[in-house]
Amino acid sequence: MWNKRADTRVHEVDPYNAEPSPAALAAESLTADDTFYSRNHGPIPDIDPAQWRLTVSNGRGATRTFSLDEIRRDFDEISTVATLQCAGNRRAGLIAVRDIPGEDPWTQCATSTARWSGVALADLLRACDVADNSTDHVEFIGPDVSDLATPPQRYGSSIELSKAMSPGTMLAWAMNGQPLPRLHGGPMRVVVPGYIGARSVKWVDSITVRESPSDNWFQRVAYRVLPVDADPDTAGPGDGISLSSVALNCDFLYPDPATPIDAAEVLVGGYAFAGDERGISRVQVSTDQGATWMEADLAQPQGPWAWRRWSAVVPLDAPAVELCARAWDDAAATQPASAAELWNPKGYVNNSWGRLTLHRDRGQTTT
Ligand SMILES: Nc1nc2c(c(=O)[nH]1)N[C@H]1C(S)=C(S)[C@@H](COP(=O)(O)O)O[C@H]1N2
Ligand SMILES: [Mo]
């Protein structure tokens, strides 16, 4: 369905919510469109690129409307490698601590990396004569109506004007050199590198500069880390911690823990990702619950907004070994050890240590 690989894990068919298998995600440094995770809150619109229009309101009374051809003709094309990561990535680890009814149990693959091509949002906003008010916000609205909000509402988000004007933040019409697929927001989506995926509004048709964050349900009510004892059904607008920058995270993608390993050591690996303005400095792996750590090898950086892939060879000196992985960012911050300390009612931002239990092949007796 939606042209995804057969080993894709589909959480919901309608609206379509699916993540790739760890092996598929590990296979490529840029995630192909048949592998890229997809998160949707309503029906997927089918938009004729020739009919698509974007309306920009500049916050001081003026509005301009653009067609796709006009945007492509009038602005310089830019291209950025950026990782998108859903705030619900790795929720399954939180659900294992305590159930989170009504939310999909995403594992560690609600994240993917692509080369996005389009225009810098800053160029478009400047052309619309947006004032340089550092406390302003920029709201993005899509055409898809979600019944998660009462009454149902179009999907939307907002970011600070400073982030909207910063390098990397863009309107993208292509993904890995191909026209942006319908599922991923074609003909045009917002890409906000380093921010939770929820801010990168797909099929965007309206952009508004305003004095405060968007009142859209997905900005004001959802995508917030509520206090542990809060009831998500009665949480009010503005409750909890609003999410923007992605929290430092890393996890394993291989090997497959279901296959016993017939060797005394094994190559393991995965991804690490630091959000806005931060980079990955180090990834470490432990075979003893974090008492001691070994350094993993980091793959070449793919740019300031992309994940960092990592690998390590680890010994397997017991029938079952639980591996832990943690990343450090360039401010020397690292990840919390356990999902239990992070549990929150909507199940966002599980950035606890990655964990993977591997089994030695029972027939294997040499050490
Ligand atoms: N219009 C619209 N944009 C949206 C969403 C949506 O439901 N509707 N989901 C958001 C969320 S929560 C995420 S994580 C990303 C997922 O993008 P993808 O489907 O291309 O992976 O899109 C974001 N943009
Ligand atoms: Mo998301």
Side-chain angles (χ1 to χ4, degrees), residues 54-72:
L54 174 67
T55 303
V56 182
S57 305
N58 74 354
R60 28 200 226 174
T63 295
R64 272 186 70 176
T65 300
F66 299 88
S67 69
L68 188 59
D69 284 349
E70 283 166 342
I71 292 180
R72 297 187 68 147

Side-chain angles (χ1 to χ4, degrees), residues 4 15-18 36-45 84-89 106 110-112 116 140-146 148 154-157 175 180-185 189-190 196-204 218 223 348:
K4 295 295 178 192
Y16 186 71
N17 281 294
F36 208 98
Y37 85 101
S38 191
R39 173 79 179 100
N40 299 286
H41 298 80
I44 316 291
L84 289 189
Q85 190 161 111
C86 187
N89 187 40
W106 299 97
T111 185
S112 297
W116 309 95
F140 311 114
I141 303 287
D144 50 325
V145 175
S146 172
L148 293 171
R154 296 169 64 186
Y155 187 87
S157 78
M175 178 176 168
L180 187 61
R182 176 181 163 200
L183 180 66
H184 296 289
R189 79 176 301 165
V190 182
I196 61 164
R199 306 309 177 217
S200 292
V201 173
K202 302 189 276 190
W203 318 287
V204 60
F218 294 95
Y223 289 104
Y348 297 128

